Amino acid sequence: QLQLQESGPELVKSSETLSLTCTVSGGSISSASYYWAWLRQPPGKGLEWIGSIYYSGRTYDNPSLKSRVTMSVDTSENQFSLNLGSATAADTAVYYCAGSYSSGWNWFHPWGQGTLVTVSS
Amino acid sequence: DIQMTQSPSSLSASVGDRVTITCRASQSISRYVNWYQQKPGKAPELLMFAASSLQSGVPSRFSGDGSGTDFTLTISSLQPEDFVTYYCQQGYGTPYTFGQGTKLEI
């Protein structure tokens, strides 16, 4: 059964880069069946899709983040990563990684447990 | 971007009630809607995909319907564990977007 787990700093200084890693277990990140996604949820607010990456390295990201997003895949470690540059307090959120089955319907399942990242000056 | 307008934002109901949550897309998106349930302090979980397909393991009291711009999630007989928050999401095109959420309250 596919499981995902986020890891990374819980506190990031304003203007620095927010970096997170998601470790996939129970399956291969090189599977052609999945995209791998990042989403976030500011405290008390709704969900926002940040971007998705395929094992080949092909990426799709949310234009609202104004090209601050970089994603990568490490097939040897079965991990994928997110870098969000020039972080501000508005980036404070619970960050989730998730699998997105490449069926075309673009749902997100399963999800990691999430990690709260606070951006502070 | 495709906007997903979810209503109501909160809903008071009782155990055993039948409730319906609505999601409206800003443009036609065929059946590319997925629904999630989120319990406090937990990650969202997929309930329904492709508007009306029940995710494995989800109780049959949950059902979805709709196509084009109007979609519904119905819970036929509310159980105590259902009083949490629900989100719709469009998978028609990037950026994938979510509704604002509906919080079910006893």
Side-chain angles (χ1 to χ4, degrees), chain A residues 39 41 45-49 52 60-64 96 100 104-109 111-114, chain B residues 1 31-32 34 36 38 41-46 49-50 55 87 89 91-92 94-96 98-100:
Chain A
L39 306 99
Q41 185 172 35
K45 296 189 178 180
L47 296 158
E48 180 181 32
W49 172 74
S52 297
Y60 306 85
D61 58 61
N62 194 328
S64 71
Y96 297 101
S100 181
W105 296 103
N106 300 308
W107 68 75
F108 301 108
H109 174 80
W111 295 59
Q113 65 183 30
Chain B
D1 298 3
R31 296 178 64 79
Y32 285 81
N34 310 307
Y36 301 85
Q38 186 175 32
K42 300 294 186 183
E45 294 181 351
L46 181 67
F49 60 92
Q55 169 66 3
Y87 293 94
Q89 174 244 327
Y92 185 81
T94 59
Y96 305 123
F98 291 80
Q100 305 94 315

Side-chain angles (χ1 to χ4, degrees), chain A:
Chain A
Q1 185 173 351
L2 206 57
Q3 291 185 311
L4 289 80
Q5 176 70 59
E6 306 88 353
S7 60
E10 297 179 350
L11 185 62
V12 175
K13 289 186 178 179
S14 185
S15 80
E16 295 190 346
T17 296
L18 185 159
S19 297
L20 294 171
T21 296
C22 183
T23 300
V24 178
S25 59
S28 173
I29 201 168
S30 299
S31 169
S33 299
Y34 278 90
Y35 284 83
W36 306 102
W38 289 99
L39 306 99
R40 68 181 182 178
Q41 185 172 35
K45 296 189 178 180
L47 296 158
E48 180 181 32
W49 172 74
I50 297 170
S52 297
I53 186 167
Y54 201 48
Y55 77 96
S56 62
R58 182 175 185 180
T59 60
Y60 306 85
D61 58 61
N62 194 328
S64 71
L65 293 166
K66 295 179 169 52
S67 302
R68 295 191 292 132
V69 170
T70 304
M71 294 177 286
S72 60
V73 169
D74 185 340
T75 55
S76 65
E77 297 289 339
N78 227 36
Q79 295 176 333
F80 62 105
S81 297
L82 169 72
N83 284 336
L84 179 63
S86 304
T88 70
D91 296 314
T92 294
V94 176
Y95 285 77
Y96 297 101
C97 58
S100 181
Y101 192 68
S102 55
S103 62
W105 296 103
N106 300 308
W107 68 75
F108 301 108
H109 174 80
W111 295 59
Q113 65 183 30
T115 185
L116 174 62
V117 180
T118 302
V119 180
S120 174
S121 56

Side-chain angles (χ1 to χ4, degrees), chain B residues 28-106:
Chain B
S28 179
I29 56 172
S30 184
R31 296 178 64 79
Y32 285 81
V33 164
N34 310 307
W35 290 93
Y36 301 85
Q37 178 190 68
Q38 186 175 32
K39 299 174 182 175
K42 300 294 186 183
E45 294 181 351
L46 181 67
L47 283 179
M48 200 85 56
F49 60 92
S52 61
S53 295
L54 200 63
Q55 169 66 3
S56 175
V58 173
S60 59
R61 63 180 180 272
F62 291 91
S63 63
D65 200 5
S67 66
T69 60
D70 295 322
F71 302 87
T72 57
L73 174 70
T74 298
I75 310 172
S76 60
S77 178
L78 281 168
Q79 299 302 300
E81 61 269 26
D82 299 337
F83 290 89
V84 292
T85 302
Y86 297 86
Y87 293 94
C88 61
Q89 174 244 327
Q90 64 82 14
Y92 185 81
T94 59
Y96 305 123
T97 48
F98 291 80
Q100 305 94 315
T102 295
K103 185 175 183 180
L104 277 186
E105 299 171 316
I106 297 180

